[in-house]
């Protein structure tokens, strides 16, 4: 009797632990994420140990891009596995472009080329390019979307990964106005939304599709790619938290992560909720460059759960945390201060 309820208990515990796939989250210290890649090849063991300390890890396109004969996708998956091997609790994400045909995604591009009708084409049948010169997937086509979804699902199967990142998946008209008939343009825009919907549905409740703007439809997570030390970024972070999205707040890549980044960290802590993560670092590095995964001393400082939401008075945000940390952000100067607990 006691034995069987003990077995039942263990079994339930196992079910809970095995299905808990959302990223690890703790207020104990600043929650942080990594998003980058090594263009010259696989990271060293030492680098992987540091990268695996970040709770969320996305491997960007261009991983091993300068190594000939290697598909970036294969090495993106290899690095995801290397990270999991070192820390099974690190949540790993596979980078995907939502509609741009990036030559770096060489395997994707090869597969796409077998379906010429999956390229977005204008009314003359000419392949459409965006301002940067990239071709586009015709996301209005259901079979293209299914291929995209399977590409993501397969990467997660191979790596035991936790989700996919969908770059530029926000409503298209903010970044790209394809020269199409109004009907085709609408079908294409709707297809982009549909893609997020179908993929997040396939991923289920615990695996994430990471979109690009707060309160983006259908996705369970978003990355704010340009998280500035200013009020509008705090407000955007708060919006994503309010609607229950996992949020990655990424310091703009023009900021050197070795310099003092207190203003950004303070802005983040004012708006952060459970499952909000802070990140700093460029999208790809060569050789022994470690700029994308600087483990800053304050990442180990005691934080604690917030004692409540931030308060706003005379242009200054303020918030206190249970381990004694106090944060202020002055919107008139866009400067922040953090007094870390001890
Ligand atoms: C990047 O890849 C190369 C080749 O594998 C390796 O020598 C280098 O250490 C890697 N960089 C980092 C930061 O691990
Ligand atoms: C279609 O081709 C014609 C003739 O080359 C050109 O004038 C027109 O701009 C093209 N239309 C589109 C949508 O590119
Ligand atoms: C275009 O973007 C604006 C916001 O920038 C949005 O309000 C509008 O609904 C979008 N239109 C389409 C067709 O997506
Ligand atoms: C989030 O977006 C939806 C539309 O997609 C809108 O109805 C809702 O009001 C937004 N939520 C907030 C808190 O702004
Ligand atoms: C900052 O955002 C808050 C919340 O939306 C708003 O009440 C406040 O007026 C904003 N402050 C500035 C300086 O824009």
């Amino acid at each position: 009797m006691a034995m069987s309820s003990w077995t039942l208990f263990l079994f339930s515990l196992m079910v809970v632990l095995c299905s808990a796939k959302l990223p690890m989250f703790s207020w104990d210290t600043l929650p942080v994420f990594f998003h980058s890649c090594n263009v010259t090849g696989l990271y060293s063991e030492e680098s992987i140990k540091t990268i695996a300390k970040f709770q969320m890890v996305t491997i960007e396109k261009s991983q091993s891009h300068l190594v000939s004969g290697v598909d970036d996708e294969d090495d993106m998956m290899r690095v995801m596995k290397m990270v999991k091997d070192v820390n099974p609790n690190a949540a790993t994400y596979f980078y995907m472009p939502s509609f741009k045909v990036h030559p770096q995604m060489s395997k994707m591009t090869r597969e796409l080329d077998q379906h010429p009708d999956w390229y977005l084409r204008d009314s003359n049948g000419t392949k459409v390019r965006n301002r940067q010169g990239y071709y586009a997937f015709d996301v209005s086509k259901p079979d293209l979307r299914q291929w995209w979804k399977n590409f993501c699902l397969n990467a997660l199967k191979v790596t035991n990964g936790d989700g996919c990142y969908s770059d530029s998946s926000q409503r298209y008209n903010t970044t790209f106005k394809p020269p199409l008939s109004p009907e085709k343009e609408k079908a294409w825009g709707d297809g982009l939304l549909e893609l997020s919907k179908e993929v997040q549905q396939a991923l289920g409740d615990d695996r994430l599709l990471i979109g690009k703007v707060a309160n983006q439809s259908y996705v369970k997570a978003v990355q704010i790619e340009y998280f500035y030390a200013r009020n509008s970024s705090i407000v955007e972070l708060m919006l994503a938290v309010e609607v229950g999205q996992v949020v990655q707040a990424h310091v703009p890549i023009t900021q050197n992560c070795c310099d003092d980044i207190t203003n950004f960290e303070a802005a983040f802590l004012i708006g952060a909720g459970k499952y909000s993560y802070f990140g700093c670092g460029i999208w790809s590095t060569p050789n022994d460059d470690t700029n994308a995964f600087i483990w800053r001393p304050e990442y180990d400082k005691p934080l604690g759960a917030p004692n409540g939401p931030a308060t706003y008075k005379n242009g200054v945000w303020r918030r206190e945390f249970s381990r004694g940390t106090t944060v202020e952000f002055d919107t008139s100067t866009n400067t922040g201060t953090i007094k870390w607990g001890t």
Side-chain angles (χ1 to χ4, degrees), residues 231-232 234-235 238 312 315 317 331-332:
N231 207 47
S232 55
I234 294 175
V235 170
M238 286 174 166
Y312 185 75
W317 288 105
T331 59
S332 63

Side-chain angles (χ1 to χ4, degrees), residues 175-189:
T175 52
F176 180 41
K177 277 196 192 301
L180 304 169
S181 67
E183 299 74 37
K184 181 67 187 178
E185 185 178 342
K186 178 163 191 327
W188 192 79

Side-chain angles (χ1 to χ4, degrees), residues 74-137:
D74 283 341
D75 270 11
M76 287 154 70
M77 291 190 271
R78 209 162 281 148
V79 173
M80 286 167 73
K81 280 198 279 196
M82 287 161 76
V83 168
K84 275 272 190 225
D85 284 348
V86 169
N87 178 10
N89 289 322
T92 54
Y93 299 88
F94 185 73
Y95 172 96
M96 304 265 293
S98 68
F99 70 83
K100 289 181 204 168
V101 182
H102 283 292
Q104 291 100 315
M105 304 291 283
S106 39
K107 194 174 232 170
M108 259 194 133
T109 307
R110 262 200 320 276
E111 292 184 18
L112 181 68
D113 280 339
Q114 292 171 3
H115 302 269
D117 60 313
W118 286 356
Y119 278 95
L120 183 64
R121 288 170 190 275
D122 65 20
S123 45
N124 290 352
T126 305
K127 288 196 221 167
V128 168
R129 288 176 191 259
N130 77 351
R131 255 178 315 180
Q132 304 152 291
Y134 293 116
Y135 293 120
F137 302 143

Side-chain angles (χ1 to χ4, degrees), residues 8 56 69 73 89-91 105 110 116 128 138 162 199 214 223 252 258 267 281 297 323 330 337 339:
L8 188 66
M56 295 178 89
E73 290 98 327
N89 289 322
M105 304 291 283
R110 262 200 320 276
V128 168
D138 189 347
D162 300 270
V199 176
Q223 178 183 94
C258 296
R323 293 184 71 189
D330 186 338
T337 50
K339 288 199 189 96

Side-chain angles (χ1 to χ4, degrees), residues 171-174:
R171 262 187 159 339
Y172 67 94
N173 68 3
T174 56

